[in-house]
Amino acid sequence: MAEEFYKTLKKYAEKKLGLPIINILFIFDVVLLQMFGKQKRNYLIWNHVDFGTALSKIGMRFYSTNMFIGTIIIILLVVFIIIFLFDKTDFFNIFPSNDYTNNITVSYNPASAVFRLLYVIWYLIHDIWIVFFTILLLSGHNNIYYNPLRVTSNAQTTNYILLILNTLVVVVLLIRALFLNRFKTRILNKKIDPYDSSKFRIINQGVYSLKDSEANYFLVKDIILDEPLFYFVKTKEKLPIGKNTNLISEHKNYYIVNYSRNFNEIKYEFEAEMKDII
């Protein structure tokens, strides 16, 4: 029940508000800090066990300057080692080549590891820290945030800096979300170039000729989408007979007349159209 509620809330936040739920939590935390910052009530006590204080101590220890900076340095060191091994050695040849399973390509490359490790740093600075910030607020250990002049330890200094940094980040994201406009892309009658191999793969094509012109039909797969989408494409203008293949490929008057995620539907329409022509 709780998991379903979280998924629904997360989907609503990202779709309707344009912000990840972790950023909405941070905005809520900042509002609470301004309204009730000086209250030191601990809401994270259950069965006489003070979870709030225990988690706060763990967080303060991790976000102490030495441990936090040390963790980031170790991650960056691993990143540099990966880049060095990739650039100077054949170490990554030990990984298997691309594997194709259930219409999914599985590959191994150092770039993925580098990006994931860099994301871990951002995750520690942003997502994990916001959760820790929430724990501090709910457990009443938030005095450093409304009186920064009394900051006395490395952990308090680090947390105050992260508060300022994440506030700036969320303000930028909030401004972006206010002006962001998302809408479904119009596909029918959309002009495309089926010969653009970076976006499309031509599965089948056919040409029919009349007295003084010819036109092309295409069965095309969109290869840049996460889920396959198949297009039935044809020219709306007839091409003069006698054009060679290279010139035809440069002609840009190709339009999507139908589309589906079901390959058989578009295949049937393509074959029916070609059959009628023949």
Side-chain angles (χ1 to χ4, degrees):
M1 183 69 179
E3 184 178 354
E4 290 297 325
F5 174 76
Y6 172 77
K7 289 181 178 180
T8 302
L9 184 63
K10 181 175 181 290
K11 183 178 180 180
Y12 179 84
E14 294 178 354
K15 184 176 181 180
K16 298 296 184 180
L17 303 179
L19 282 174
I21 193 170
I22 192 69
N23 293 327
I24 295 175
L25 175 63
F26 180 70
I27 295 173
F28 183 70
D29 287 343
V30 172
V31 172
L32 287 181
L33 180 64
Q34 296 302 316
M35 294 178 62
F36 310 105
K38 295 186 178 182
Q39 296 183 13
K40 293 188 176 182
R41 182 175 299 178
N42 192 341
Y43 296 97
L44 298 180
I45 297 177
W46 185 73
N47 276 354
H48 306 291
V49 179
D50 191 350
F51 291 98
T53 299
L55 293 173
S56 296
K57 288 181 178 179
I58 294 173
M60 292 297 283
R61 179 171 297 180
F62 175 77
Y63 283 104
S64 65
T65 302
N66 293 338
M67 183 172 290
F68 181 61
I69 298 300
T71 302
I72 292 178
I73 291 175
I74 290 173
I75 294 174
L76 290 177
L77 182 61
V78 174
V79 168
F80 288 131
I81 291 174
I82 291 174
I83 295 174
F84 174 80
L85 291 176
F86 175 71
D87 185 50
K88 302 297 183 180
T89 72
D90 297 326
F91 174 78
F92 291 101
N93 290 338
I94 65 174
F95 290 100
S97 57
N98 292 355
D99 187 21
Y100 305 93
T101 305
N102 194 24
N103 200 32
I104 296 176
T105 301
V106 178
S107 63
Y108 304 86
N109 63 80
S112 297
V114 168
F115 284 123
R116 286 191 176 102
L117 288 170
L118 293 177
Y119 180 75
V120 168
I121 295 177
W122 173 247
Y123 199 66
L124 293 173
I125 293 174
H126 188 65
D127 297 53
I128 294 295
W129 181 84
I130 290 175
V131 173
F132 170 60
F133 179 49
T134 305
I135 292 172
L136 288 179
L137 292 179
L138 294 178
S139 60
H141 296 85
N142 54 306
N143 58 308
I144 64 170
Y145 296 116
Y146 62 82
N147 196 354
L149 296 178
R150 292 186 179 180
V151 171
T152 58
S153 68
N154 290 338
Q156 291 175 333
T157 302
T158 303
N159 278 280
Y160 193 72
I161 292 173
L162 290 175
L163 174 64
I164 296 173
L165 175 63
N166 282 292
T167 299
L168 294 176
V169 169
V170 172
V171 167
V172 171
L173 293 177
L174 182 59
I175 294 173
R176 175 181 175 274
L178 288 174
F179 292 94
L180 182 66
N181 185 24
R182 292 182 179 179
F183 52 89
K184 287 188 176 181
T185 304
R186 182 177 62 86
I187 295 180
L188 285 179
N189 295 319
K190 181 181 178 181
K191 186 177 179 180
I192 68 170
D193 179 10
Y195 290 97
D196 185 350
S197 59
S198 65
K199 299 179 180 178
F200 309 107
R201 179 175 297 129
I202 297 176
I203 300 175
N204 202 350
Q205 70 181 103
V207 181
Y208 73 89
S209 300
L210 297 175
K211 183 177 180 181
D212 57 355
S213 62
E214 68 183 26
N216 286 37
Y217 285 126
F218 296 89
L219 177 58
V220 178
K221 179 181 179 180
D222 194 320
I223 61 176
I224 64 174
L225 300 178
D226 291 335
E227 298 182 13
L229 194 60
F230 302 94
Y231 302 139
F232 178 39
V233 180
K234 67 179 180 181
T235 52
K236 281 200 168 183
E237 295 180 4
K238 297 169 184 175
L239 307 177
I241 290 180
K243 279 195 172 186
N244 60 41
T245 304
N246 292 331
L247 290 177
I248 290 176
S249 67
E250 295 174 358
H251 194 84
K252 302 301 181 182
N253 291 321
Y254 298 104
Y255 293 82
I256 299 172
V257 295
N258 201 0
Y259 68 95
S260 176
R261 296 201 181 278
N262 188 328
F263 169 72
N264 290 327
E265 289 181 2
I266 300 302
K267 179 184 176 184
Y268 175 80
E269 181 171 354
F270 174 85
E271 292 177 346
E273 188 81 20
M274 296 306 300
K275 184 177 180 181
D276 290 341
I277 294 172
I278 294 175

